[in-house]
Every structure is written in C-alpha cells, then in structure tokens.
Amino acid sequence: MQLVRQNEKSASKGTRRRPGTRKGPGTSTGARLLSRLIAALLAASALATGCAAGTPERTPAKPAPGQQAHKGLQAAPARALDSYATKLRAQRAALVAATKRWGLADVPLTAPRPPAKKPVIEARRGFEVDGQKELGLPPVFTTIPTTDKVVFLTIDDGAEKDPRFLKMMSELRIPYTAFLTDAEVRPQYGYFKKMQARGVTLNNHTLHHPFLPALSYARQKHEICGMQDVIEKKYGKRPTLFRPPFGDYNQDTLRAAKACGIEYAPIWNAEAFVDRMDYREWDRSIHPGDILLTHFRGRKDWKGTMPDMIRHLMKYLTDRGYAVARLEDYL
C-alpha cells in the first residue's frame, strides 16, 4: 500500500521552530508532532497488514462518475451496426441464391427508400371526367410522379393461382399489388390470403369484371361496393385502390367508386406478357414511375407460366436499370 504524504514544502513549514523555543520532544509542540507521527505510522502499518491479509487480487478502482455509461454508449451502436451489417450480408446472399434458383439472369435491383413526403397524385391529363376536381373524384393515373428509376408492378383478376409464383416473388422480394375480381378469386380465397400474408395489398377489380360504362350508376356501384364487401369479409380490410376492368370508366364509375370508399383509380402505362411488353406511350418504352400491368395467367392463356413472365420482365427492367417499388408506399 502507498502512504499518502504531505509535500516537502508543507512538511518543512509545519515543523519549523519559533525563535526562542527549545528543540526536542519536551516542548508541547514537539510532543504533539511526535504523537501525530507515531499515530500515522501505526495507521499505515495496520493498513498494510490489512491489505496483505485480504484477498490476493487487488480490487479494481471504480470508474469516474459517468465513465462506464459513456463506454456503454460507444459499444451499443457498434454492436447494432455490426448486427445490421451481418443481416444485410445474409439478405444479399439469400437474394443471390434465389436469383440462381429461379433462373434470373441478374439479381433484381433494389428500389430506393420511398419518399418521406408522398407525391401529389392527380388525374392524368385527358383522363379526367366532368366534375373531376369539383366532385373530388378518385384520380385515374398511369404514372407516379418521381425521378427515381422505379416502376410499380400490378396484377389483375386472379384467374391463375400458381403456388410457385407466391414462393418466387417472396424469395426474390419483388413487391406487387393485386387487383382482384371475385368471380376469378372465389374458388380459392385461401391462395390470396397467403399472398396477403406476404405483404401484398389486395385491391378492387369489381365482382364480375364487366364493361362498366355500359352499366347504370346503381349497377356500377353494386359491382364496386360489392367487391369492397368481399375483400373486407375475406381479408379484413376495405381497399382504397380500384382498377376499372379494361381500364374503361365514366363519371358514374368514379362517383360510385368514391361512394364505396375508393381514393385512387390507377390504371397502367405498360403491360407485361410472358414473351413481350406492350406500351401506352408512343416511344414504346418505360419511364420513371410507370405503373405496369400483368395478369394472373398460365399456360392455357400464355406461352408459359407466371414465373416465366417474371423472369422475362425482370430481365427487361434490370437491363434498363429499373427496380420494382411498392405502389402503396407512394400514395
């Protein structure tokens, strides 16, 4: 043990004799000093004995107040960053493996984060109906306003129910939005329940897929509100997105849609098939923010399966530097 001592200057000053006093222990001052010195030596001896008789390991000194907390604050973010990096590496490895397993030429590009401030969605010019703004009708649009190289995949009706498609889209983490028709979905509601469990939003495409402009307002409302009821009953939530069959509509369609709780009526700017792409625009290309349409179809309607269609589509998009984003994240 270390004895804490006064510094030399203080010790010297404290023992200096006053003029006229005799040196030695006989004086009261000298006696007091001698007494204090003996007491200090005895205390130091006892302290040393106590240290020797105690445990052989030295008890570590406590850190200064706040020191330990500061060290913890440094360690926690480091651990979190390391855990996040490990998770990202595992996700990337799984995506690369899925890309090979499903026969894609390249790993699908990852969409950027959706905007914190959602873009303003308005009816596409020329796609408005009378009273569009005055009546606050759901806008019909084909593209989301964005400069990001992303497109939005939407799939209509529900005729084909290929379990491999669900697995493929889940493993490749490709987002998409479904627009369902009850006449096509009804035989297997459970298939779309599995789809919903994978994070896919299920939206309205009417009960029977009619040509809506040929129907009265009341009939149109029945088709749209009736499908709202089906989706709520089977899947727990009334949609806010509606796509008119064939992309055809009139003012009554949008009035009925609004009355049924619809907020948006997206259609499409390009359509994907198993072996080709069709376009709405004159330049026969895709653009940032385009909504893409395809259908739940299989070999009886196409020259291939839905996984075949996705392979063709993802090669087309990846070669052009596009990623698939989630439509609902921009609305």
Side-chain angles (χ1 to χ4, degrees), residues 3-309:
L3 178 64
V4 178
R5 305 179 58 169
Q6 291 177 294
N7 62 52
E8 294 296 330
K9 185 175 181 181
S10 299
S12 173
K13 182 178 180 181
T15 58
R16 184 180 301 168
R17 287 189 298 117
R18 289 178 298 172
T21 59
R22 287 168 45 184
K23 181 178 178 181
T27 65
S28 60
T29 303
R32 285 195 300 270
L33 288 172
L34 181 60
S35 176
R36 289 175 184 172
L37 179 59
I38 292 171
L41 289 172
L42 289 173
S45 175
L47 188 59
T49 302
C51 290
T55 57
E57 294 183 3
R58 181 177 297 176
T59 303
K62 292 182 179 180
Q67 182 178 357
Q68 190 170 359
H70 178 66
K71 183 178 179 182
L73 286 174
Q74 290 179 328
R79 287 194 299 269
L81 284 174
D82 183 65
S83 176
Y84 181 63
T86 301
K87 182 179 179 181
L88 286 180
R89 286 194 294 270
Q91 288 178 346
R92 179 67 181 180
L95 185 57
V96 170
T99 298
K100 293 179 180 178
R101 186 162 54 251
W102 289 104
L104 272 67
D106 296 291
V107 176
L109 299 177
T110 301
R113 290 177 179 268
K117 184 178 180 181
K118 308 300 183 188
V120 176
I121 305 297
E122 296 181 337
R124 176 171 170 162
R125 183 173 297 180
F127 288 60
E128 311 96 330
V129 297
D130 292 340
Q132 179 76 52
K133 290 187 176 181
E134 296 82 356
L135 297 174
L137 301 179
V140 176
F141 55 100
T142 63
T143 302
I144 297 288
T146 181
T147 57
D148 293 335
K149 289 195 76 172
V150 296
V151 293
F152 305 94
L153 179 59
T154 63
I155 311 179
D156 279 9
D157 64 48
E160 180 73 9
K161 303 166 186 69
D162 186 344
R164 294 173 305 152
F165 171 76
L166 292 183
K167 185 175 176 65
M168 179 184 195
M169 298 299 273
S170 180
E171 291 183 356
L172 292 172
R173 298 200 295 275
I174 300 172
Y176 59 102
T177 299
F179 289 88
L180 303 181
T181 296
D182 189 52
E184 302 290 356
V185 172
R186 189 184 304 124
Q188 295 184 37
Y189 287 119
Y191 176 84
F192 299 95
K193 188 71 174 177
K194 293 177 183 177
M195 185 178 293
Q196 184 187 41
R198 287 165 164 80
V200 177
T201 304
L202 308 180
N203 294 292
N204 192 323
H205 199 43
T206 70
L207 290 171
H208 303 99
H209 207 276
F211 178 68
L212 290 174
L215 305 181
S216 66
Y217 171 80
R219 291 278 305 281
Q220 292 197 54
K221 186 177 179 182
H222 171 72
E223 282 286 336
I224 300 169
C225 286
M227 192 57 190
Q228 292 285 87
D229 295 340
V230 168
I231 294 177
E232 181 177 32
K233 180 179 179 180
K234 296 296 182 180
Y235 306 111
K237 187 176 181 181
R238 294 177 78 80
T240 58
L241 275 61
F242 159 71
R243 174 171 286 163
F246 315 106
D248 292 316
Y249 59 95
N250 58 16
Q251 187 197 60
D252 282 347
T253 309
L254 300 185
R255 285 176 52 229
K258 181 181 178 181
C260 298
I262 296 299
E263 298 177 13
Y264 301 99
I267 50 176
W268 62 92
N269 218 30
E271 183 172 359
F273 295 87
V274 75
D275 56 354
R276 71 181 195 279
M277 293 286 292
D278 282 353
Y279 307 91
R280 186 182 298 275
E281 306 296 342
W282 63 270
D283 60 357
R284 298 188 57 75
S285 186
I286 57 171
H287 316 84
D290 275 356
I291 298 170
L292 307 185
L293 164 68
T294 192
H295 289 81
F296 290 97
R297 293 288 185 269
R299 290 193 180 278
K300 9 178 234 191
D301 300 295
W302 284 345
K303 298 175 181 177
T305 64
M306 291 194 73
D308 292 335
M309 179 272 298

